[in-house]
PDB file of all heavy atoms in Angstrom:
ATOM      1  N   PRO A   1       0.831  -1.212   0.000  1.00 94.00           N
ATOM      2  CA  PRO A   1       0.000   0.000   0.000  1.00 94.00           C
ATOM      3  C   PRO A   1       0.863   1.259   0.000  1.00 94.00           C
ATOM      4  O   PRO A   1       1.982   1.256   0.505  1.00 94.00           O
ATOM      5  CB  PRO A   1      -0.795  -0.118   1.308  1.00 94.00           C
ATOM      6  CG  PRO A   1      -0.739  -1.563   1.663  1.00 94.00           C
ATOM      7  CD  PRO A   1       0.584  -2.063   1.170  1.00 94.00           C
ATOM      8  N   ILE A   2       0.335   2.326  -0.572  1.00 92.00           N
ATOM      9  CA  ILE A   2       1.081   3.583  -0.574  1.00 92.00           C
ATOM     10  C   ILE A   2       1.225   4.106   0.848  1.00 92.00           C
ATOM     11  O   ILE A   2       0.444   3.760   1.733  1.00 92.00           O
ATOM     12  CB  ILE A   2       0.380   4.647  -1.447  1.00 92.00           C
ATOM     13  CG1 ILE A   2      -0.997   4.994  -0.851  1.00 92.00           C
ATOM     14  CG2 ILE A   2       0.260   4.202  -2.884  1.00 92.00           C
ATOM     15  CD1 ILE A   2      -1.543   6.310  -1.360  1.00 92.00           C
ATOM     16  N   GLY A   3       2.232   4.938   1.050  1.00 88.00           N
ATOM     17  CA  GLY A   3       2.415   5.562   2.355  1.00 88.00           C
ATOM     18  C   GLY A   3       3.809   5.410   2.909  1.00 88.00           C
ATOM     19  O   GLY A   3       4.211   6.155   3.807  1.00 88.00           O
ATOM     20  N   LYS A   4       4.582   4.465   2.379  1.00 80.00           N
ATOM     21  CA  LYS A   4       5.932   4.231   2.888  1.00 80.00           C
ATOM     22  C   LYS A   4       6.961   5.150   2.244  1.00 80.00           C
ATOM     23  O   LYS A   4       8.055   5.314   2.751  1.00 80.00           O
ATOM     24  CB  LYS A   4       6.333   2.776   2.645  1.00 80.00           C
ATOM     25  CG  LYS A   4       5.418   1.752   3.319  1.00 80.00           C
ATOM     26  CD  LYS A   4       5.462   1.859   4.822  1.00 80.00           C
ATOM     27  CE  LYS A   4       4.611   0.776   5.473  1.00 80.00           C
ATOM     28  NZ  LYS A   4       4.604   0.893   6.954  1.00 80.00           N
ATOM     29  N   GLU A   5       6.618   5.735   1.080  1.00 83.00           N
ATOM     30  CA  GLU A   5       7.574   6.565   0.358  1.00 83.00           C
ATOM     31  C   GLU A   5       6.975   7.933   0.086  1.00 83.00           C
ATOM     32  O   GLU A   5       5.752   8.111   0.074  1.00 83.00           O
ATOM     33  CB  GLU A   5       7.967   5.885  -0.963  1.00 83.00           C
ATOM     34  CG  GLU A   5       8.580   4.504  -0.764  1.00 83.00           C
ATOM     35  CD  GLU A   5       9.041   3.884  -2.076  1.00 83.00           C
ATOM     36  OE1 GLU A   5       9.517   4.644  -2.930  1.00 83.00           O
ATOM     37  OE2 GLU A   5       8.921   2.673  -2.230  1.00 83.00           O
ATOM     38  N   ALA A   6       7.856   8.902  -0.173  1.00 85.00           N
ATOM     39  CA  ALA A   6       7.400  10.270  -0.402  1.00 85.00           C
ATOM     40  C   ALA A   6       6.892  10.483  -1.816  1.00 85.00           C
ATOM     41  O   ALA A   6       6.125  11.412  -2.076  1.00 85.00           O
ATOM     42  CB  ALA A   6       8.534  11.253  -0.104  1.00 85.00           C
ATOM     43  N   SER A   7       7.331   9.632  -2.734  1.00 87.00           N
ATOM     44  CA  SER A   7       6.908   9.793  -4.128  1.00 87.00           C
ATOM     45  C   SER A   7       6.843   8.432  -4.825  1.00 87.00           C
ATOM     46  O   SER A   7       7.463   7.457  -4.385  1.00 87.00           O
ATOM     47  CB  SER A   7       7.865  10.726  -4.882  1.00 87.00           C
ATOM     48  OG  SER A   7       9.158  10.157  -4.972  1.00 87.00           O
ATOM     49  N   TYR A   8       6.099   8.409  -5.933  1.00 93.00           N
ATOM     50  CA  TYR A   8       5.913   7.197  -6.729  1.00 93.00           C
ATOM     51  C   TYR A   8       5.975   7.599  -8.195  1.00 93.00           C
ATOM     52  O   TYR A   8       6.137   8.766  -8.539  1.00 93.00           O
ATOM     53  CB  TYR A   8       4.558   6.550  -6.408  1.00 93.00           C
ATOM     54  CG  TYR A   8       4.464   6.002  -4.998  1.00 93.00           C
ATOM     55  CD1 TYR A   8       4.233   6.855  -3.908  1.00 93.00           C
ATOM     56  CD2 TYR A   8       4.608   4.648  -4.740  1.00 93.00           C
ATOM     57  CE1 TYR A   8       4.163   6.370  -2.611  1.00 93.00           C
ATOM     58  CE2 TYR A   8       4.534   4.148  -3.446  1.00 93.00           C
ATOM     59  CZ  TYR A   8       4.313   5.009  -2.388  1.00 93.00           C
ATOM     60  OH  TYR A   8       4.246   4.507  -1.111  1.00 93.00           O
ATOM     61  N   CYS A   9       5.823   6.610  -9.071  1.00 94.00           N
ATOM     62  CA  CYS A   9       5.720   6.887 -10.492  1.00 94.00           C
ATOM     63  C   CYS A   9       4.428   6.281 -11.022  1.00 94.00           C
ATOM     64  O   CYS A   9       4.039   5.186 -10.605  1.00 94.00           O
ATOM     65  CB  CYS A   9       6.911   6.313 -11.262  1.00 94.00           C
ATOM     66  SG  CYS A   9       8.411   7.305 -11.105  1.00 94.00           S
ATOM     67  N   PHE A  10       3.784   7.008 -11.943  1.00 95.00           N
ATOM     68  CA  PHE A  10       2.558   6.498 -12.552  1.00 95.00           C
ATOM     69  C   PHE A  10       2.861   6.032 -13.960  1.00 95.00           C
ATOM     70  O   PHE A  10       3.378   6.788 -14.784  1.00 95.00           O
ATOM     71  CB  PHE A  10       1.466   7.567 -12.586  1.00 95.00           C
ATOM     72  CG  PHE A  10       0.170   7.058 -13.159  1.00 95.00           C
ATOM     73  CD1 PHE A  10      -0.721   6.356 -12.364  1.00 95.00           C
ATOM     74  CD2 PHE A  10      -0.135   7.257 -14.495  1.00 95.00           C
ATOM     75  CE1 PHE A  10      -1.913   5.866 -12.887  1.00 95.00           C
ATOM     76  CE2 PHE A  10      -1.318   6.772 -15.032  1.00 95.00           C
ATOM     77  CZ  PHE A  10      -2.209   6.077 -14.228  1.00 95.00           C
ATOM     78  N   ASP A  11       2.530   4.775 -14.239  1.00 92.00           N
ATOM     79  CA  ASP A  11       2.772   4.164 -15.546  1.00 92.00           C
ATOM     80  C   ASP A  11       1.427   4.002 -16.253  1.00 92.00           C
ATOM     81  O   ASP A  11       0.611   3.170 -15.870  1.00 92.00           O
ATOM     82  CB  ASP A  11       3.448   2.807 -15.356  1.00 92.00           C
ATOM     83  CG  ASP A  11       3.925   2.191 -16.664  1.00 92.00           C
ATOM     84  OD1 ASP A  11       3.320   2.476 -17.708  1.00 92.00           O
ATOM     85  OD2 ASP A  11       4.905   1.419 -16.628  1.00 92.00           O
ATOM     86  N   ALA A  12       1.192   4.812 -17.280  1.00 93.00           N
ATOM     87  CA  ALA A  12      -0.094   4.788 -17.973  1.00 93.00           C
ATOM     88  C   ALA A  12      -0.347   3.442 -18.643  1.00 93.00           C
ATOM     89  O   ALA A  12      -1.482   2.945 -18.652  1.00 93.00           O
ATOM     90  CB  ALA A  12      -0.159   5.910 -19.012  1.00 93.00           C
ATOM     91  N   ALA A  13       0.689   2.838 -19.209  1.00 90.00           N
ATOM     92  CA  ALA A  13       0.512   1.559 -19.904  1.00 90.00           C
ATOM     93  C   ALA A  13       0.056   0.465 -18.950  1.00 90.00           C
ATOM     94  O   ALA A  13      -0.694  -0.436 -19.323  1.00 90.00           O
ATOM     95  CB  ALA A  13       1.805   1.158 -20.600  1.00 90.00           C
ATOM     96  N   ARG A  14       0.494   0.544 -17.693  1.00 90.00           N
ATOM     97  CA  ARG A  14       0.107  -0.454 -16.696  1.00 90.00           C
ATOM     98  C   ARG A  14      -1.105  -0.012 -15.882  1.00 90.00           C
ATOM     99  O   ARG A  14      -1.689  -0.794 -15.134  1.00 90.00           O
ATOM    100  CB  ARG A  14       1.295  -0.747 -15.782  1.00 90.00           C
ATOM    101  CG  ARG A  14       2.500  -1.320 -16.533  1.00 90.00           C
ATOM    102  CD  ARG A  14       3.720  -1.451 -15.635  1.00 90.00           C
ATOM    103  NE  ARG A  14       3.545  -2.484 -14.608  1.00 90.00           N
ATOM    104  CZ  ARG A  14       4.453  -2.779 -13.687  1.00 90.00           C
ATOM    105  NH1 ARG A  14       5.598  -2.100 -13.654  1.00 90.00           N
ATOM    106  NH2 ARG A  14       4.239  -3.737 -12.798  1.00 90.00           N
ATOM    107  N   GLY A  15      -1.445   1.252 -15.998  1.00 93.00           N
ATOM    108  CA  GLY A  15      -2.645   1.753 -15.350  1.00 93.00           C
ATOM    109  C   GLY A  15      -2.531   2.001 -13.869  1.00 93.00           C
ATOM    110  O   GLY A  15      -3.533   1.955 -13.147  1.00 93.00           O
ATOM    111  N   GLY A  16      -1.307   2.286 -13.375  1.00 95.00           N
ATOM    112  CA  GLY A  16      -1.195   2.527 -11.947  1.00 95.00           C
ATOM    113  C   GLY A  16       0.196   2.915 -11.505  1.00 95.00           C
ATOM    114  O   GLY A  16       1.070   3.228 -12.320  1.00 95.00           O
ATOM    115  N   LEU A  17       0.394   2.869 -10.190  1.00 95.00           N
ATOM    116  CA  LEU A  17       1.627   3.321  -9.564  1.00 95.00           C
ATOM    117  C   LEU A  17       2.661   2.207  -9.410  1.00 95.00           C
ATOM    118  O   LEU A  17       2.310   1.036  -9.272  1.00 95.00           O
ATOM    119  CB  LEU A  17       1.331   3.864  -8.171  1.00 95.00           C
ATOM    120  CG  LEU A  17       0.385   5.062  -8.051  1.00 95.00           C
ATOM    121  CD1 LEU A  17       0.070   5.316  -6.582  1.00 95.00           C
ATOM    122  CD2 LEU A  17       0.988   6.301  -8.701  1.00 95.00           C
ATOM    123  N   THR A  18       3.921   2.622  -9.409  1.00 93.00           N
ATOM    124  CA  THR A  18       5.009   1.748  -8.956  1.00 93.00           C
ATOM    125  C   THR A  18       5.833   2.531  -7.947  1.00 93.00           C
ATOM    126  O   THR A  18       5.988   3.756  -8.072  1.00 93.00           O
ATOM    127  CB  THR A  18       5.917   1.293 -10.117  1.00 93.00           C
ATOM    128  OG1 THR A  18       6.404   2.444 -10.820  1.00 93.00           O
ATOM    129  CG2 THR A  18       5.168   0.386 -11.075  1.00 93.00           C
ATOM    130  N   CYS A  19       6.319   1.835  -6.937  1.00 91.00           N
ATOM    131  CA  CYS A  19       7.170   2.494  -5.943  1.00 91.00           C
ATOM    132  C   CYS A  19       8.581   2.649  -6.515  1.00 91.00           C
ATOM    133  O   CYS A  19       8.901   2.114  -7.581  1.00 91.00           O
ATOM    134  CB  CYS A  19       7.184   1.700  -4.645  1.00 91.00           C
ATOM    135  SG  CYS A  19       7.961   0.072  -4.775  1.00 91.00           S
ATOM    136  N   ASN A  20       9.414   3.359  -5.789  1.00 86.00           N
ATOM    137  CA  ASN A  20      10.772   3.616  -6.279  1.00 86.00           C
ATOM    138  C   ASN A  20      11.632   2.356  -6.369  1.00 86.00           C
ATOM    139  O   ASN A  20      12.590   2.301  -7.129  1.00 86.00           O
ATOM    140  CB  ASN A  20      11.450   4.660  -5.381  1.00 86.00           C
ATOM    141  CG  ASN A  20      10.781   6.026  -5.479  1.00 86.00           C
ATOM    142  OD1 ASN A  20      10.312   6.400  -6.549  1.00 86.00           O
ATOM    143  ND2 ASN A  20      10.724   6.743  -4.375  1.00 86.00           N
ATOM    144  N   HIS A  21      11.269   1.339  -5.614  1.00 86.00           N
ATOM    145  CA  HIS A  21      12.022   0.081  -5.644  1.00 86.00           C
ATOM    146  C   HIS A  21      11.627  -0.775  -6.859  1.00 86.00           C
ATOM    147  O   HIS A  21      12.439  -1.565  -7.354  1.00 86.00           O
ATOM    148  CB  HIS A  21      11.785  -0.716  -4.362  1.00 86.00           C
ATOM    149  CG  HIS A  21      12.236  -0.007  -3.130  1.00 86.00           C
ATOM    150  ND1 HIS A  21      13.556   0.174  -2.800  1.00 86.00           N
ATOM    151  CD2 HIS A  21      11.521   0.600  -2.139  1.00 86.00           C
ATOM    152  CE1 HIS A  21      13.651   0.847  -1.670  1.00 86.00           C
ATOM    153  NE2 HIS A  21      12.430   1.115  -1.245  1.00 86.00           N
ATOM    154  N   CYS A  22      10.398  -0.615  -7.331  1.00 87.00           N
ATOM    155  CA  CYS A  22       9.889  -1.489  -8.394  1.00 87.00           C
ATOM    156  C   CYS A  22       9.831  -0.818  -9.760  1.00 87.00           C
ATOM    157  O   CYS A  22       9.604  -1.495 -10.769  1.00 87.00           O
ATOM    158  CB  CYS A  22       8.490  -1.992  -8.039  1.00 87.00           C
ATOM    159  SG  CYS A  22       8.409  -2.951  -6.511  1.00 87.00           S
ATOM    160  N   GLY A  23      10.024   0.480  -9.806  1.00 75.00           N
ATOM    161  CA  GLY A  23       9.965   1.177 -11.084  1.00 75.00           C
ATOM    162  C   GLY A  23      11.076   0.731 -12.000  1.00 75.00           C
ATOM    163  O   GLY A  23      12.189   0.444 -11.558  1.00 75.00           O
ATOM    164  N   ASP A  24      10.767   0.652 -13.297  1.00 71.00           N
ATOM    165  CA  ASP A  24      11.771   0.172 -14.262  1.00 71.00           C
ATOM    166  C   ASP A  24      12.471   1.313 -14.984  1.00 71.00           C
ATOM    167  O   ASP A  24      13.189   1.099 -15.965  1.00 71.00           O
ATOM    168  CB  ASP A  24      11.108  -0.759 -15.275  1.00 71.00           C
ATOM    169  CG  ASP A  24       9.975  -0.078 -16.045  1.00 71.00           C
ATOM    170  OD1 ASP A  24       9.771   1.144 -15.861  1.00 71.00           O
ATOM    171  OD2 ASP A  24       9.292  -0.769 -16.828  1.00 71.00           O
ATOM    172  N   GLY A  25      12.233   2.551 -14.518  1.00 70.00           N
ATOM    173  CA  GLY A  25      12.906   3.690 -15.141  1.00 70.00           C
ATOM    174  C   GLY A  25      12.337   4.079 -16.484  1.00 70.00           C
ATOM    175  O   GLY A  25      13.013   4.729 -17.282  1.00 70.00           O
ATOM    176  N   SER A  26      11.097   3.710 -16.762  1.00 76.00           N
ATOM    177  CA  SER A  26      10.474   4.047 -18.038  1.00 76.00           C
ATOM    178  C   SER A  26      10.406   5.556 -18.223  1.00 76.00           C
ATOM    179  O   SER A  26       9.994   6.284 -17.307  1.00 76.00           O
ATOM    180  CB  SER A  26       9.062   3.462 -18.092  1.00 76.00           C
ATOM    181  OG  SER A  26       8.361   3.971 -19.210  1.00 76.00           O
ATOM    182  N   PRO A  27      10.822   6.064 -19.405  1.00 77.00           N
ATOM    183  CA  PRO A  27      10.775   7.516 -19.643  1.00 77.00           C
ATOM    184  C   PRO A  27       9.352   8.054 -19.693  1.00 77.00           C
ATOM    185  O   PRO A  27       9.134   9.264 -19.591  1.00 77.00           O
ATOM    186  CB  PRO A  27      11.480   7.667 -21.004  1.00 77.00           C
ATOM    187  CG  PRO A  27      11.333   6.330 -21.661  1.00 77.00           C
ATOM    188  CD  PRO A  27      11.373   5.329 -20.550  1.00 77.00           C
ATOM    189  N   ASP A  28       8.377   7.161 -19.867  1.00 81.00           N
ATOM    190  CA  ASP A  28       6.983   7.593 -19.934  1.00 81.00           C
ATOM    191  C   ASP A  28       6.318   7.667 -18.563  1.00 81.00           C
ATOM    192  O   ASP A  28       5.186   8.132 -18.443  1.00 81.00           O
ATOM    193  CB  ASP A  28       6.170   6.635 -20.819  1.00 81.00           C
ATOM    194  CG  ASP A  28       6.595   6.709 -22.276  1.00 81.00           C
ATOM    195  OD1 ASP A  28       6.994   7.808 -22.709  1.00 81.00           O
ATOM    196  OD2 ASP A  28       6.532   5.674 -22.967  1.00 81.00           O
ATOM    197  N   ALA A  29       6.997   7.176 -17.526  1.00 89.00           N
ATOM    198  CA  ALA A  29       6.417   7.199 -16.186  1.00 89.00           C
ATOM    199  C   ALA A  29       6.376   8.625 -15.648  1.00 89.00           C
ATOM    200  O   ALA A  29       7.313   9.400 -15.843  1.00 89.00           O
ATOM    201  CB  ALA A  29       7.213   6.297 -15.261  1.00 89.00           C
ATOM    202  N   ILE A  30       5.287   8.956 -14.983  1.00 92.00           N
ATOM    203  CA  ILE A  30       5.083  10.295 -14.437  1.00 92.00           C
ATOM    204  C   ILE A  30       5.364  10.287 -12.936  1.00 92.00           C
ATOM    205  O   ILE A  30       4.693   9.562 -12.191  1.00 92.00           O
ATOM    206  CB  ILE A  30       3.638  10.768 -14.678  1.00 92.00           C
ATOM    207  CG1 ILE A  30       3.295  10.767 -16.167  1.00 92.00           C
ATOM    208  CG2 ILE A  30       3.400  12.142 -14.057  1.00 92.00           C
ATOM    209  CD1 ILE A  30       4.007  11.811 -16.975  1.00 92.00           C
ATOM    210  N   PRO A  31       6.340  11.069 -12.447  1.00 93.00           N
ATOM    211  CA  PRO A  31       6.569  11.122 -11.002  1.00 93.00           C
ATOM    212  C   PRO A  31       5.420  11.848 -10.310  1.00 93.00           C
ATOM    213  O   PRO A  31       4.908  12.853 -10.818  1.00 93.00           O
ATOM    214  CB  PRO A  31       7.884  11.897 -10.879  1.00 93.00           C
ATOM    215  CG  PRO A  31       7.996  12.679 -12.146  1.00 93.00           C
ATOM    216  CD  PRO A  31       7.312  11.888 -13.204  1.00 93.00           C
ATOM    217  N   VAL A  32       5.022  11.336  -9.157  1.00 95.00           N
ATOM    218  CA  VAL A  32       3.900  11.936  -8.432  1.00 95.00           C
ATOM    219  C   VAL A  32       4.141  11.785  -6.931  1.00 95.00           C
ATOM    220  O   VAL A  32       4.585  10.729  -6.459  1.00 95.00           O
ATOM    221  CB  VAL A  32       2.562  11.293  -8.862  1.00 95.00           C
ATOM    222  CG1 VAL A  32       2.585   9.797  -8.692  1.00 95.00           C
ATOM    223  CG2 VAL A  32       1.391  11.900  -8.124  1.00 95.00           C
ATOM    224  N   SER A  33       3.879  12.840  -6.176  1.00 95.00           N
ATOM    225  CA  SER A  33       4.127  12.826  -4.738  1.00 95.00           C
ATOM    226  C   SER A  33       3.002  12.115  -3.998  1.00 95.00           C
ATOM    227  O   SER A  33       1.879  11.989  -4.493  1.00 95.00           O
ATOM    228  CB  SER A  33       4.269  14.255  -4.211  1.00 95.00           C
ATOM    229  OG  SER A  33       3.034  14.946  -4.325  1.00 95.00           O
ATOM    230  N   LEU A  34       3.317  11.674  -2.798  1.00 95.00           N
ATOM    231  CA  LEU A  34       2.327  10.993  -1.969  1.00 95.00           C
ATOM    232  C   LEU A  34       1.145  11.914  -1.660  1.00 95.00           C
ATOM    233  O   LEU A  34      -0.012  11.472  -1.646  1.00 95.00           O
ATOM    234  CB  LEU A  34       2.984  10.519  -0.664  1.00 95.00           C
ATOM    235  CG  LEU A  34       2.077   9.797   0.332  1.00 95.00           C
ATOM    236  CD1 LEU A  34       1.486   8.533  -0.284  1.00 95.00           C
ATOM    237  CD2 LEU A  34       2.868   9.447   1.604  1.00 95.00           C
ATOM    238  N   GLY A  35       1.425  13.212  -1.444  1.00 94.00           N
ATOM    239  CA  GLY A  35       0.350  14.159  -1.154  1.00 94.00           C
ATOM    240  C   GLY A  35      -0.652  14.259  -2.286  1.00 94.00           C
ATOM    241  O   GLY A  35      -1.872  14.298  -2.063  1.00 94.00           O
ATOM    242  N   THR A  36      -0.160  14.271  -3.531  1.00 96.00           N
ATOM    243  CA  THR A  36      -1.047  14.335  -4.697  1.00 96.00           C
ATOM    244  C   THR A  36      -1.874  13.069  -4.817  1.00 96.00           C
ATOM    245  O   THR A  36      -3.076  13.114  -5.111  1.00 96.00           O
ATOM    246  CB  THR A  36      -0.221  14.558  -5.978  1.00 96.00           C
ATOM    247  OG1 THR A  36       0.453  15.817  -5.885  1.00 96.00           O
ATOM    248  CG2 THR A  36      -1.107  14.540  -7.213  1.00 96.00           C
ATOM    249  N   ILE A  37      -1.248  11.923  -4.590  1.00 96.00           N
ATOM    250  CA  ILE A  37      -1.969  10.645  -4.659  1.00 96.00           C
ATOM    251  C   ILE A  37      -3.099  10.623  -3.640  1.00 96.00           C
ATOM    252  O   ILE A  37      -4.239  10.247  -3.961  1.00 96.00           O
ATOM    253  CB  ILE A  37      -1.001   9.469  -4.409  1.00 96.00           C
ATOM    254  CG1 ILE A  37       0.048   9.395  -5.513  1.00 96.00           C
ATOM    255  CG2 ILE A  37      -1.786   8.152  -4.340  1.00 96.00           C
ATOM    256  CD1 ILE A  37       1.217   8.488  -5.179  1.00 96.00           C
ATOM    257  N   ARG A  38      -2.811  11.053  -2.432  1.00 95.00           N
ATOM    258  CA  ARG A  38      -3.844  11.043  -1.381  1.00 95.00           C
ATOM    259  C   ARG A  38      -4.974  12.019  -1.713  1.00 95.00           C
ATOM    260  O   ARG A  38      -6.140  11.749  -1.431  1.00 95.00           O
ATOM    261  CB  ARG A  38      -3.208  11.378  -0.039  1.00 95.00           C
ATOM    262  CG  ARG A  38      -2.426  10.189   0.541  1.00 95.00           C
ATOM    263  CD  ARG A  38      -1.763  10.535   1.844  1.00 95.00           C
ATOM    264  NE  ARG A  38      -1.262   9.327   2.518  1.00 95.00           N
ATOM    265  CZ  ARG A  38      -0.344   9.316   3.467  1.00 95.00           C
ATOM    266  NH1 ARG A  38       0.189  10.463   3.875  1.00 95.00           N
ATOM    267  NH2 ARG A  38       0.042   8.182   4.026  1.00 95.00           N
ATOM    268  N   THR A  39      -4.632  13.152  -2.325  1.00 95.00           N
ATOM    269  CA  THR A  39      -5.665  14.111  -2.711  1.00 95.00           C
ATOM    270  C   THR A  39      -6.567  13.530  -3.794  1.00 95.00           C
ATOM    271  O   THR A  39      -7.795  13.681  -3.754  1.00 95.00           O
ATOM    272  CB  THR A  39      -5.024  15.423  -3.210  1.00 95.00           C
ATOM    273  OG1 THR A  39      -4.202  15.972  -2.182  1.00 95.00           O
ATOM    274  CG2 THR A  39      -6.097  16.431  -3.593  1.00 95.00           C
ATOM    275  N   LEU A  40      -5.983  12.835  -4.769  1.00 96.00           N
ATOM    276  CA  LEU A  40      -6.779  12.207  -5.820  1.00 96.00           C
ATOM    277  C   LEU A  40      -7.671  11.101  -5.254  1.00 96.00           C
ATOM    278  O   LEU A  40      -8.827  10.956  -5.665  1.00 96.00           O
ATOM    279  CB  LEU A  40      -5.867  11.641  -6.905  1.00 96.00           C
ATOM    280  CG  LEU A  40      -5.200  12.664  -7.823  1.00 96.00           C
ATOM    281  CD1 LEU A  40      -4.218  11.981  -8.774  1.00 96.00           C
ATOM    282  CD2 LEU A  40      -6.249  13.441  -8.628  1.00 96.00           C
ATOM    283  N   LEU A  41      -7.147  10.337  -4.324  1.00 96.00           N
ATOM    284  CA  LEU A  41      -7.955   9.294  -3.686  1.00 96.00           C
ATOM    285  C   LEU A  41      -9.120   9.916  -2.914  1.00 96.00           C
ATOM    286  O   LEU A  41     -10.240   9.394  -2.929  1.00 96.00           O
ATOM    287  CB  LEU A  41      -7.087   8.445  -2.752  1.00 96.00           C
ATOM    288  CG  LEU A  41      -6.094   7.497  -3.432  1.00 96.00           C
ATOM    289  CD1 LEU A  41      -5.172   6.858  -2.403  1.00 96.00           C
ATOM    290  CD2 LEU A  41      -6.835   6.408  -4.219  1.00 96.00           C
ATOM    291  N   MET A  42      -8.853  11.028  -2.260  1.00 94.00           N
ATOM    292  CA  MET A  42      -9.907  11.718  -1.528  1.00 94.00           C
ATOM    293  C   MET A  42     -10.972  12.229  -2.505  1.00 94.00           C
ATOM    294  O   MET A  42     -12.181  12.095  -2.271  1.00 94.00           O
ATOM    295  CB  MET A  42      -9.311  12.895  -0.741  1.00 94.00           C
ATOM    296  CG  MET A  42     -10.282  13.543   0.230  1.00 94.00           C
ATOM    297  SD  MET A  42      -9.546  14.986   1.069  1.00 94.00           S
ATOM    298  CE  MET A  42      -8.077  14.204   1.791  1.00 94.00           C
ATOM    299  N   GLY A  43     -10.523  12.783  -3.627  1.00 94.00           N
ATOM    300  CA  GLY A  43     -11.454  13.275  -4.636  1.00 94.00           C
ATOM    301  C   GLY A  43     -12.268  12.172  -5.279  1.00 94.00           C
ATOM    302  O   GLY A  43     -13.384  12.403  -5.747  1.00 94.00           O
ATOM    303  N   ARG A  44     -11.729  10.985  -5.297  1.00 94.00           N
ATOM    304  CA  ARG A  44     -12.441   9.838  -5.869  1.00 94.00           C
ATOM    305  C   ARG A  44     -13.467   9.275  -4.898  1.00 94.00           C
ATOM    306  O   ARG A  44     -14.482   8.723  -5.315  1.00 94.00           O
ATOM    307  CB  ARG A  44     -11.418   8.759  -6.252  1.00 94.00           C
ATOM    308  CG  ARG A  44     -12.022   7.575  -6.993  1.00 94.00           C
ATOM    309  CD  ARG A  44     -10.951   6.722  -7.638  1.00 94.00           C
ATOM    310  NE  ARG A  44     -10.155   5.980  -6.678  1.00 94.00           N
ATOM    311  CZ  ARG A  44      -9.113   5.198  -6.991  1.00 94.00           C
ATOM    312  NH1 ARG A  44      -8.741   5.098  -8.266  1.00 94.00           N
ATOM    313  NH2 ARG A  44      -8.439   4.543  -6.074  1.00 94.00           N
ATOM    314  N   GLN A  45     -13.219   9.424  -3.603  1.00 92.00           N
ATOM    315  CA  GLN A  45     -14.048   8.765  -2.592  1.00 92.00           C
ATOM    316  C   GLN A  45     -15.020   9.697  -1.874  1.00 92.00           C
ATOM    317  O   GLN A  45     -16.063   9.256  -1.391  1.00 92.00           O
ATOM    318  CB  GLN A  45     -13.131   8.094  -1.555  1.00 92.00           C
ATOM    319  CG  GLN A  45     -12.251   7.002  -2.141  1.00 92.00           C
ATOM    320  CD  GLN A  45     -11.049   6.676  -1.264  1.00 92.00           C
ATOM    321  OE1 GLN A  45     -10.865   7.274  -0.198  1.00 92.00           O
ATOM    322  NE2 GLN A  45     -10.214   5.748  -1.698  1.00 92.00           N
ATOM    323  N   MET A  46     -14.693  10.973  -1.801  1.00 93.00           N
ATOM    324  CA  MET A  46     -15.501  11.919  -1.034  1.00 93.00           C
ATOM    325  C   MET A  46     -16.879  12.103  -1.659  1.00 93.00           C
ATOM    326  O   MET A  46     -17.058  11.960  -2.883  1.00 93.00           O
ATOM    327  CB  MET A  46     -14.777  13.268  -0.973  1.00 93.00           C
ATOM    328  CG  MET A  46     -15.461  14.321  -0.121  1.00 93.00           C
ATOM    329  SD  MET A  46     -14.568  15.907  -0.145  1.00 93.00           S
ATOM    330  CE  MET A  46     -13.152  15.518   0.877  1.00 93.00           C
TER     331      MET A  46
END
C-alpha cells in the first residue's frame, strides 16, 4: 500500500503506480508525490 515513500511513479501503460524500488525507469512514467496521490484518492471517494 502507498504511504511508505514520499513519491511514486505512474505508468499509464500499466494503469497505476510503482514504488521507487519497483519502477523500471520508463521515460513515460510520471513522477507523483504521496500528497497528490492522497488528494486524488480523496477526490475519488468523497
Side-chain angles (χ1 to χ4, degrees):
I2 64 161
K4 300 296 184 182
E5 301 184 36
S7 65
Y8 293 79
C9 282
F10 182 83
D11 189 332
R14 299 173 68 181
L17 299 172
T18 55
C19 66
N20 294 325
H21 298 288
C22 300
D24 59 5
S26 170
D28 293 328
I30 302 291
V32 55
S33 66
L34 179 60
T36 297
I37 296 166
R38 284 178 168 161
T39 302
L40 287 175
L41 288 172
M42 189 183 304
R44 186 166 70 183
Q45 297 161 0
M46 184 182 287

